[in-house]
Structure formats: structure tokens, C-alpha cells
Amino acid sequence: MDLADVALFCSIVTTGSLSAAGRASGHSPMAVSRRLAALEAELGVRLLHRTTRAVALTADGETFLPFARTMIAAREAAAAAFVERHEGLSGVLRVTAPNRIGRALVVPLAVRLMAENPLLQVDLTLSDRIVDIVASGIDVALRVATLQASDLVAVRLADNPRILCAAPGYLAVHGRPARLADLDGHACLTLHAMEAWPFTRDGKPLARRVGGRLAANSVDAVREACLAGAGLALLTYWDVAQDLAEETLVALSLSDAEPERLAIWAVLPSRQHRPARVRHFLDALRAELSRTPTVAEPAGANRPPAAEVG
């Protein structure tokens, strides 16, 4: 099997067309079509449905795609191992992360890694939505939400508890909530994706519906409104760590409930063929997350990461 043809197949899936894959690889659309046909003939299956405007994976193509990406990743890892020994990290590191954590942590780290490794490229997708990392060819996905069972590999990097917080100006006018029931008397800034605020009481989950005049579809929007004194927000620690350190936001505690405890996870497509750039990125990110915070955190934060799961 010609790995160049396999790589071209992966490129067609990623770019969405034969012509775009041809432009990326320096081949004409006709040459791309011939090489794809040769790969299909060798496998004895049709991998893609072609029309004049688009391509789509067949069922056999869906089955072959993860194998194809594994083969290409293995080839790149083998080649990179020798380059990295002499010239540092190389290749393209593809990462997806939530918007706020991506800007606060991943972007500065990516800039530093590229400065230290001139052959390294970073392709970063910031989105608060869950990205299909296998279909998108992502190396690492950072996730905060509770993970669902899957065939992917998850590596716990650090605790990331939810923090009930507000701006000092808001608290000066409206006071601090002391108990869960006190939230009813406050303006609560909510996210569309979170119908109720998650807490725990005596170790058991507790969902509390809250009300307010502002709801948004992004963490950034809720954070900005909270900073402006519009109400209380329930965000994760790393969403507001800098704000807490600068005292532009204040962390609040309730006597009868604790906000849900989450973690930052690195989700990977496979245990195998993990390039050096991915391993180095995870080590550097874990070190960044485990640094001594500038504000007090809930007990147990930044515990050593657990073993891989998935």
C-alpha cells in the first residue's frame, strides 16, 4: 500500500474535495482521482462517493479512515523521531480547546513551544463545542465537561472546580449569598448549555435552577458580564483564575453546597503512535496547570493527574 496514496485520501477527507487536496499536495485533480482509484483498487472497496461538487465517505471509507490516519501518524512519528533528536520538535500539532482555556493557557504555550522548536507548527481550534477529533485529525482535545464513555483515550491533567464568583461592585450593592437558597435573590448569569447550576451536598450531586436577565452561549460572554457587575456566575477555576488573582472577581462559598468539581482532560485518538510533539505538549501543559496558583483554591485542587482512561 502506497502511503502517499493513503495520505492523499486523508487529505481529501480533511479538505472536503479532490481539488483542494490536490492544491495542498501539488497534484492536479485528475492525478488525485487516479491515485484515489488506485488505492480503492488495492483495497477492493470504494472509499469515497464523488460528485462534481463534493465527496463523502462510504461505509468502507469510514472503516478505513482511522487505519489510514494511524498509518500516516506512524510514518510521521518515525520520521520525526530522527529530526527531533537533532533539530527539536517538528510537524503539525493539532489541538482543540475551549475558548477561554485555549486563550489563557494553550495560546501562550503554543507560542513558547514554536519559539523553542523552529520546525514545529501548531493548528489550534478554539471552540466550546465538542469537536470530533478522529474525523478532524486532531492530536489533542482539551475538555472540561464530564467525559462520556468512548474508545478515545483520556488523560487527566488537573482539577478544574467550578467557582461561584462575582465582581466586588456587585457584592457591594447586593451582598453575598450565604446558602444555596440565597441564589434566588440574586441575578445569575447563565450559559445556554447548562440548564441548572451543578452543586454537591454531602457528596451527592444537586442541580439548582437559577434565574437572571442574561443568558449566553459562551463562557467568555458570561465572564465579561460578571466582570461588569451584572450578577453571579458559575464558571470553572481556569476560566477566571487571572480575574481572581487580580481581585476583579471574588470567589464565593455557600454553607450548604459546593460547586461541582471538574477536571481538565486531554483526550487523544489513540494510545499508539503518540508523536514527540504531543508528548512534549502534554508535559508542558501539565506543568503549567500544576504551578502554584496565586489565589486560594478549594481543597484538593491540582492533585497529581490520574492514570489514562478510555
Side-chain angles (χ1 to χ4, degrees):
M1 189 178 299
D2 190 333
L3 286 181
D5 294 345
V6 176
L8 204 53
F9 164 70
C10 293
S11 179
I12 294 169
V13 174
T14 300
T15 61
S17 74
L18 274 65
S19 58
R23 287 192 298 272
S25 60
H27 295 88
S28 68
M30 185 175 295
V32 173
S33 182
R34 283 199 301 265
R35 298 187 72 160
L36 176 60
L39 179 62
E40 290 177 325
E42 182 169 0
L43 291 170
V45 297
R46 190 173 183 84
L47 298 173
L48 293 167
H49 296 298
R50 289 90 132 173
T51 68
T52 55
R53 295 188 176 185
V55 295
L57 284 165
T58 64
D60 288 324
E62 293 273 9
T63 300
F64 180 64
L65 181 59
F67 292 104
R69 285 185 165 146
T70 298
M71 284 187 279
I72 299 307
R75 182 189 67 176
E76 292 177 351
F82 298 100
V83 173
E84 289 158 357
R85 183 183 301 172
H86 303 290
E87 302 178 12
L89 303 177
S90 63
V92 181
L93 174 66
R94 295 180 173 86
V95 181
T96 182
N99 277 289
R100 180 63 189 161
I101 289 175
R103 287 201 293 271
L105 293 170
V106 181
V107 171
L109 179 58
V111 170
R112 175 163 64 83
L113 291 179
M114 288 188 296
E116 296 169 351
N117 302 275
L119 298 181
L120 179 67
Q121 302 176 52
V122 177
D123 186 316
L124 179 59
T125 300
L126 297 184
S127 175
D128 291 330
R129 296 184 178 184
I130 298 298
V131 176
D132 185 337
I133 66 173
V134 175
S136 303
I138 299 291
D139 295 312
V140 183
L142 298 185
R143 292 180 179 166
V144 174
T146 302
L147 300 182
Q148 304 298 318
S150 76
D151 294 330
L152 302 175
V153 177
V155 180
R156 185 182 169 281
L157 299 177
D159 277 4
N160 191 30
R162 294 191 190 276
I163 301 288
L164 182 64
C165 57
Y170 175 87
L171 297 176
V173 175
H174 301 280
R176 292 175 176 241
R179 299 172 55 84
L180 199 61
D182 295 342
L183 297 182
D184 294 340
H186 285 269
C188 296
L189 310 169
T190 59
L191 286 162
H192 292 171
M194 195 159 61
E195 295 181 356
W197 281 2
F199 292 88
T200 60
R201 177 184 288 164
D202 299 326
K204 297 179 181 179
L206 173 65
R208 178 76 182 193
R209 289 191 174 274
V210 295
R213 296 169 58 196
L214 187 144
N217 69 336
S218 76
V219 168
D220 278 335
V222 169
R223 172 180 164 271
E224 290 295 335
C226 190
L227 284 167
L232 307 179
L234 187 66
L235 300 172
T236 70
Y237 172 75
W238 283 102
D239 291 329
V240 295
Q242 190 63 35
D243 305 313
L244 296 176
E246 295 173 354
E247 299 183 351
T248 52
L249 289 180
V250 176
L252 306 172
S253 61
L254 303 176
S255 62
D256 58 347
E258 179 181 315
E260 179 185 33
R261 300 192 64 81
L262 297 174
I264 294 180
W265 294 84
V267 179
L268 311 166
S270 171
R271 296 180 190 276
Q272 299 177 332
H273 308 305
R274 196 173 296 174
R277 59 181 175 271
V278 173
R279 297 195 304 271
H280 190 87
F281 171 76
L282 292 178
D283 289 343
L285 183 59
R286 185 182 287 113
E288 182 70 16
L289 288 166
S290 64
R291 74 185 191 278
T292 302
T294 53
V295 295
E297 293 183 60
N302 287 317
R303 293 190 299 262
E308 293 183 5
V309 298

